[in-house]
Structure formats: C-alpha cells, structure tokens
Amino acid sequence: MSPPLTHTVDDDGLGWIVFNDPGSRASALDPSMPAALHDALDGLAAARVKAVVILSAEERVFISGADLKMISSLPDAAAATAFSREGQQLFERLAGFKTPVVCAIHGVCAIGGCELALACHWRLASDAPATRIGLPQIGLGTIPGWGGCARLPRLIGAQAAVEHMLAAVLVPAEKALAVGIVDEVVPAATLKERARAIALKFAAEGIPSRPPPPPPPVSFYADQRLGVLASTGGRLPAPLALLEAVEKGGGRSLDEALGIEAELYGSLAAGEVCKNLIHILLLKDGNGKQTLDAWFPPAAGGPAPAPFRIIGIVGAGDMGSGITQWLAARGFGVILVDTQPDILKRSMEAVRKLFHESIARGETTHEAAHKALGGIAITTDVADLVDCDLVIEAIVEDVAAKRALLAEVAKVLPPESVLATSTSALPIEEISAQAAVPGRILGLHFFNPVNRMALVELVLGRQTTRATAERALAFSREIGKTPVVCKSAPGFLVTRVLFFCLNEACRLWEQGVPTDVIDRALCDWGWAMGPMRLIDEVGIDDTDCILGEMERYFPGRFQASTICRRMLAAGLKGRKQGASSGFYVYADGREAINPAMAPLAPAVPSAPPDVATLADLLLQVMIDETKRSLAEGVVRTPDEADLALLLGAGFPAFRGGLMRYARKTGLFAG
Ligand code: NAI
C-alpha cells in the first residue's frame, strides 16, 4: 500500500507535506500515517527546510480522523490512552518543529485532521463550500484526544473552545476564521500560492506571537456543567469529560494538559457509549454501500439506473408539503397536485415557511430558495403529471383512495415511470392490487418532519421489479436520505414496532399509569420523547387510525387501546395542525399534564411499576416485534433494523441500536 503522504523540498527551500493517499477517498489518519509523518519530518529537518507547508491532494476531504474501526477495537482504557499519547507526540513534533509549519486546508478538516492543523503554526483555509473544519468528537462519545482539548483553548480561549467542541459540528471556513480556529481564508485557487508566500514570509521574519486569550467567566464551567446535565441527563460522559479536560488543563502547562486529555480520552474511548456511537456511524457508512442483491436474483449488470428529474407529488398535506420542499431544495422539478386550489395554496405557504427556516439555519440562501420555489408547479389536474418520471402519492391513508388515484396517475404517465406510495402502514400489494403494471409500484415511506428525519423505508411489493427498486434506491441516496429496504408487510418495520410500543403505553395509561411516569420511563432511558408526547405529536386521529390498522393486520396479537378514540370524542386532538390539547396541554412553549384527560382515566388505578420496569416492558415490546419482523424477512439484518429504528423512531444513538442492546442484555441471540 502506498504511504498516506509524500514530502518534497522545492527550489526555495520550502518543505511540502502532501496527504494524498491514492488508495482511499480521504487521507485518513490511518495506522500507517504516524510513521509516514515522522519520516517526512525527519527528512525535512535533515534537509534544513526554511518552512513547511502541509496540504492535501484530496478534493473533498483535507484529512479525516482516525480509523473508527480501529478506535472501537481498542481493548481497554490503557490502550486508548496510549493511542492518544501517540497522536499527541506526533503532533508535538509539528508544534515544536524548528521552522514555521503552515497548514493549508481545503475540504473537510475534522477530528484528527483538525488537531493536526491546530498543532501547526499558521492555518489557511480555502473558501470552498467543501471546506468545513472542527472537532466534533463529542458526537462519537469521545473528546479530542490528539491535542485538541489542550490546544484549542490556548488558541481561541476556553469559552469559545468549549462551545465549539460541545456543539460537535464542522464550521465553514469563514466561521472558523471568526472563531479563530484558522488565521486566514483565501480563494481555493490561490491556497497553495498563499501558503507558499506566508511560509516564506515567516521563514524570513519568524512566526508572529499570539497574545494569550482571555480566561472564561468565573462561573463558566459550573454553568456549562449544569447545561450539559440538563440536556443529557448525565447519560453521556463525553461532554462532562470535555469540560474537565479544558478546566483542569487550563491552569497547567501544555504538557500536563495533554496528559489530562489523554487519560480522559482513554476512559471514554474504551467505554460503552463511544463504542455504541461508533457502531452507529459505521452502520450509516455501510448503508451507503448496500445493494439490492439480497432482495432480487442476481442482476445482469448494465447502465446505472436512470435518475428521476421531474417528480409529481399527489396530496398536499403534511407529508406532500414536506416532500415537495425537500425535493425542490435539491434541484428537482416538482408538480404538486391536490383536489382544491386552497389546499395547494396552504401547502405552498408551508413549503415557503420551511425554506425560510432553512435560510435562518444557514442551510440555504434566499437566492437558492427562490430558485427552488420556482421549480414547483401546482395543479388540481392529475393529467399535468404527464412528464413526471416519478410520482409519489401522499394522500389519505386509505387503500381504496390510493388504488383509485394510482390507476388515474398510471393512465397519464409514460410506461417507464415509477409510482411510489408514502403510506405509513399499508402493504404495497393491497395498493397495487388492480394496477396494470404493478412492477413499477413501491413504497417510499418518508418520516415526519421530512426535513429532519433521515430515514426512508424503501418498501418492496411482491411484484416490484428490480429496475424500479434500483431507481428508487439511487434516488433516496441522491436526495440525502438513508434508505432501509423492507419487504412489504403491514407497518413495514418502523410503524409496526413503534405502534406496538405506543399501544402498550396507551394500555398502561388505561390501567392508571400516569402520563408523565410512562414518558419518564423512556426519557430516563435516553429517548428524546416519551410515547405519550409522541402520540400528541403524531396526532390523536392518526394514532387511532394506525392502531386500528394494526389490530386488523395482527388479529389476536394486537388489541388496540381505545383511549385515542375516547380522546377524539372529547375533542382532544393532540398537537397536530395547530391543536394543543392531548395527553398534555401546550402553551407558551411548555407542556403540562392535561386536566381534561382525568375523566378518561380509570377510577381505580393500579399501582404503577417503577420507571425502570416500565422502560424494560416497553423495550421488550419493541424487541419482540423487531425479532418477528426479522424472522418474517421484513428487514434483512438486525443492523438494518437498528438503523431504521434509530432514524425513524428516535431510538437513542448512544445505546447503539435496539437489537445490539437486546443482544448485549441476552434478549436476542441473532
Ligand atoms: P394529510 O391528511 O395531511 O394530507 C392528505 C392530502 O391528500 C390532503 O390535502 C387531501 O386533500 C389530499 N388528497 C386526498 N385525496 C386526494 C386525491 N385523490 N387527489 C389529490 N389529493 C388528494 O395526510 P398526511 O399526514 O400528509 O399523510 C399522507 C400519507 O403519508 C398517508 O398515507 C400517511 O399515512 C403517510 N404518512 C404520514 C405521516 C405523518 O406523520 N403525517 C408520516 C409518514 C407517512
């Protein structure tokens, strides 16, 4: 294997280190890198270079972090601390290099790549959108362990450093400049030349000294700790360790600070949460490489599936509006159909609002949003879909209505186009039963809200052809969603598993377990939202409808709770479409137990189990249903089920996945 970097000396006496591993897409700080960088620095020191410039030959990634599989295989805290020490010592060589070291960043510069940059004496960043910089290790359950915790506060101050590292995000070059992580932002085309010029200047004049940054406010660490405990419930050790590393390291020498960092890194990297979070990241990576080979007979090869360009969406309700915005923002032409002009008008208002929110978050610009909005056409006439190569129906959850609509749509579409249903639970065969060409029909189950939920269940009916599925798989990836392929079955995976759980929660409520106790059970376990709150969000009517469907599809095994029906009769709709009264009432951004629920509760409640027992019970329901789904082949592997439940149902990532948890606790042997 070729080395991950090269080093050369030019005619001006400058040393160049170029990360350019041709064998990998990114120049990962893989196990061969430390030796290669030591060699390069030895060589450049021996050549007595005037200064060193570090850059990367890669287009999109400057230098990514260490190999995640390797970190996750570190056997214990001592090995992880040693790994941290090795990286720190390597980068210490850069910081202590006799002549100036300039780092020229283009592309993603994250984790170990960013720590390498921080050890250099000067950092330039290209202004390209691909350039994004940061230390997001908290998201992996660790802290920066190759010098980041010790160096960043010394560069930009403890307060800004902690805020950056706790946010666990990559920032664009301009933001990195504003915070002080980089020293200059230059046009991508001039990056190399500017790096050469600045390296020669520092070679002649010396590296400018930096004044020490101001200390944080007195109560800074205590306040941050309170904030972290409030947002994580104390279940995530990394943010607290980060605060400890920066606070303790702040009053000491760099060497001592690095020692503290390495010890804390060691205990985190060897811990359960870090291994779980890395596992999830690897699952996501693996998803990008999955094929349909497990679902269809071998394919004969051939050209890549033809991409969709003009997409019809029928049904301009919550889902139709959300999907329209998502697709338009990604450059697709969208034709949105509904029965009434005023519904379409309301939908476009919702789409515009989503664009405004996206602009406010800095995800898009006014110009781009304006252009995307211009790509949306609205109509009440299905015949206007004639040029679409994909139509997604998002009308009411009713088999007869969906069948009739697809028949109507099929008549106007070209034969090679694809028809997708966004049904959340109905088997595809029921919807495609009377279709002339059922092979071109499949499910694309998006999740609500579409702009925040990464999952799409790609649901294969018995007659869905491989060509249809291939196009839908490529499309799901193209629009930045994570597709999990499912066999058509009632509720597919996520709706089925989730609603078995929600039904159990409702039944517990009907036995007298208080709303907040049920919710606390899953929230204390790590879920962002408890089942009763989730039902309010989904809407009492939709929940009731799906519980009814589940009872029909799983007779004998699923006895639907009646509480949602009784809530609807009492005028309680949950939190959908402006309503604010369900299991909770919502006002001024707060929620409180809804007193209107009291008359619906049992007169003689049974004594509630403790929250840990309740959590076990609800998790057991989900595990059992996932096991059944796996046995029936609804999803192919426990890992795929875990990914779907993480991205579609909100399973807490730090637990590593439902079936991974079940396996560890002896509840699943697969
Ligand atoms: P919705 O009730 O908000 O909107 C449905 C829209 O379809 C309405 O605007 C209605 O006027 C229109 N419509 C009905 N029949 C039509 C026809 N023949 N031609 C054109 N338009 C027609 O429904 P929502 O919540 O957007 O759900 C749509 C589909 O997506 C359902 O199948 C639902 O199960 C599924 N889904 C819903 C999720 C949610 O959280 N709301 C999540 C995932 C899937």
Side-chain angles (χ1 to χ4, degrees):
M1 209 170 104
S2 48
L5 55 89
T6 57
H7 68 278
T8 50
V9 181
D10 70 14
D11 295 345
D12 292 325
L14 283 185
W16 293 83
I17 295 178
V18 183
F19 282 80
N20 61 353
D21 179 359
S24 72
R25 194 170 56 83
S27 305
L29 296 185
D30 63 28
S32 66
M33 196 279 293
L37 187 54
H38 277 300
D39 281 354
L41 292 172
D42 287 344
L44 296 179
R48 297 180 180 278
V49 291
K50 288 183 194 159
V52 177
V53 177
I54 297 182
L55 43 79
S56 169
E58 298 288 342
E59 263 307 300
R60 289 179 42 230
V61 178
F62 169 65
I63 306 170
S64 62
D67 181 340
L68 292 179
K69 279 194 188 135
M70 195 273 287
I71 294 181
S72 137
S73 67
L74 291 167
D76 53 30
T81 297
F83 171 71
S84 165
R85 279 307 210 178
E86 187 194 347
Q88 290 175 346
Q89 282 153 12
L90 176 65
F91 292 169
E92 268 297 279
R93 285 206 64 193
L94 289 172
F97 203 72
K98 291 267 182 307
T99 55
V101 181
V102 171
C103 187
I105 302 165
H106 172 78
V108 171
C109 173
I111 309 190
C114 183
E115 291 178 290
L116 177 146
L118 289 174
C120 299
H121 303 123
W122 198 257
R123 284 157 293 281
L124 309 172
S126 87
D127 64 355
T131 299
R132 299 176 68 78
I133 303 166
L135 296 173
Q137 282 91 327
I138 291 285
L140 294 174
T142 61
I143 55 174
W146 283 21
C149 287
R151 281 188 213 286
L152 191 60
R154 284 166 171 75
L155 182 69
I156 65 173
Q159 179 167 354
V162 163
E163 284 166 3
H164 171 78
M165 291 187 279
L166 281 184
V169 291
L170 300 182
V171 295
E174 283 298 341
K175 176 86 190 288
L177 178 67
V179 181
I181 298 176
V182 299
D183 299 296
E184 289 180 49
V185 175
V186 298
T190 62
L191 180 69
K192 196 170 167 189
E193 274 324 298
R194 175 64 190 155
R196 172 198 299 280
I198 200 88
L200 287 171
K201 177 175 152 74
F202 290 160
E205 299 171 8
I207 306 156
S209 65
R210 297 173 192 270
V218 180
S219 63
F220 177 70
Y221 293 106
D223 292 347
Q224 288 291 324
R225 227 164 250 123
L226 285 178
V228 163
L229 287 173
S231 64
T232 66
R235 285 177 292 271
L236 303 183
L240 294 172
L242 177 84
L243 290 171
E244 188 179 340
V246 178
E247 184 175 21
K248 282 193 182 158
R252 295 176 164 82
S253 68
L254 177 67
D255 212 33
E256 287 171 314
L258 289 169
I260 292 166
E261 173 185 300
E263 287 299 323
L264 287 164
Y265 177 89
S267 64
L268 291 169
E272 181 91 2
V273 169
C274 173
K275 291 195 188 302
N276 283 343
L277 289 170
I278 288 181
H279 173 73
I280 294 289
L281 213 72
L282 294 173
L283 284 189
K284 289 181 182 170
D285 272 5
N287 178 272
K289 294 171 203 135
Q290 78 169 334
T291 68
L292 291 166
D293 289 350
W295 295 92
F296 292 94
F308 301 125
R309 283 294 151 244
I310 303 182
I311 296 170
I313 310 284
V314 188
D318 285 346
M319 293 309 285
S321 308
I323 299 168
T324 296
Q325 189 269 342
W326 186 260
L327 298 182
R330 273 142 201 86
F332 289 92
V334 180
I335 301 175
L336 179 61
V337 185
D338 207 299
T339 51
Q340 308 286 334
D342 58 331
I343 299 177
L344 287 163
K345 194 167 156 236
R346 201 178 55 210
S347 171
M348 285 307 292
E349 277 160 21
V351 170
R352 268 187 219 100
K353 185 160 176 266
L354 287 168
F355 272 116
H356 280 304
E357 289 165 2
S358 180
I359 293 167
R361 285 194 296 271
E363 295 163 356
T364 189
T365 59
H366 279 284
E367 297 71 36
H370 186 73
K371 189 167 170 223
L373 278 162
I376 304 173
I378 52 175
T379 175
T380 54
D381 189 354
V382 167
D384 290 337
L385 298 174
V386 61
D387 291 327
C388 292
D389 31 26
L390 168 69
V391 169
I392 304 172
E393 73 75 16
I395 67 166
V396 281
E397 186 78 343
D398 177 271
V399 173
K402 285 184 189 291
R403 265 188 203 169
L405 175 78
L406 288 194
E408 203 185 338
V409 171
K411 276 190 222 145
V412 296
L413 282 198
E416 64 283 2
S417 57
V418 170
L419 298 179
T421 167
S422 74
T423 175
S424 46
L426 300 169
I428 306 305
E429 297 76 27
E430 288 194 17
I431 296 173
S432 67
Q434 292 158 4
V437 191
R440 63 166 161 169
I441 300 180
L442 86 172
L444 279 178
H445 181 204
F446 289 85
F447 288 75
N448 195 11
V450 177
N451 64 345
R452 291 220 302 272
M453 302 293 281
L455 181 68
V456 169
E457 281 179 317
L458 198 151
V459 189
L460 306 177
R462 266 197 299 280
Q463 291 165 290
T464 306
T465 63
R466 181 165 190 148
T468 301
E470 293 283 7
R471 289 185 83 185
L473 182 67
F475 167 71
S476 307
R477 290 193 177 127
E478 187 185 355
I479 63 171
K481 294 291 178 192
T482 305
V484 170
V485 183
C486 300
K487 182 177 87 173
S488 166
F492 325 126
L493 180 79
V494 174
T495 303
R496 173 170 169 179
V497 172
L498 190 59
F499 278 79
F500 262 88
C501 170
L502 296 184
N503 193 47
E504 188 63 26
C506 288
R507 286 158 58 88
L508 287 164
W509 193 92
E510 287 179 309
Q511 289 158 25
V513 185
T515 303
D516 55 337
V517 174
I518 300 173
D519 276 354
R520 190 145 35 85
L522 283 193
C523 290
D524 281 1
W525 201 79
W527 292 72
M529 191 180 278
M532 315 323 276
R533 267 286 273 112
L534 181 59
I535 291 172
D536 276 358
E537 292 293 327
V538 171
I540 307 303
D541 52 352
D542 283 359
T543 304
D544 186 53
C545 165
I546 296 176
L547 294 183
E549 280 179 6
M550 300 294 278
E551 187 171 60
R552 182 162 65 85
Y553 285 121
F554 299 100
R557 281 207 312 113
F558 192 103
Q559 196 186 344
S561 150
T562 58
I563 184 58
C564 289
R565 199 150 313 147
R566 290 187 285 134
M567 287 170 78
L568 288 173
L572 306 176
K573 295 181 177 168
R575 220 185 170 190
K576 218 179 141 192
Q577 286 165 352
S580 60
S581 186
F583 284 99
Y584 297 89
V585 276
Y586 304 85
D588 306 325
R590 287 166 176 271
E591 76 222 26
I593 298 293
N594 190 354
M597 289 298 290
L600 306 181
V604 187
S606 53
D610 62 81
V611 288
T613 309
L614 275 174
D616 285 347
L617 204 156
L618 293 169
L619 286 162
Q620 185 70 58
V621 169
M622 289 189 263
I623 291 166
D624 287 348
E625 216 42 48
T626 307
K627 275 195 219 171
R628 285 200 179 93
S629 302
L630 283 163
E632 293 167 21
V634 175
V635 276
R636 289 283 155 150
T637 65
D639 278 353
E640 283 170 271
D642 281 356
L643 190 59
L645 292 168
L646 176 94
L647 299 177
F651 184 89
F654 75 92
R655 296 279 187 183
L658 180 70
M659 299 317 277
R660 180 174 160 96
Y661 167 79
R663 203 181 278 128
K664 268 191 211 148
T665 47
L667 298 170
F668 175 56

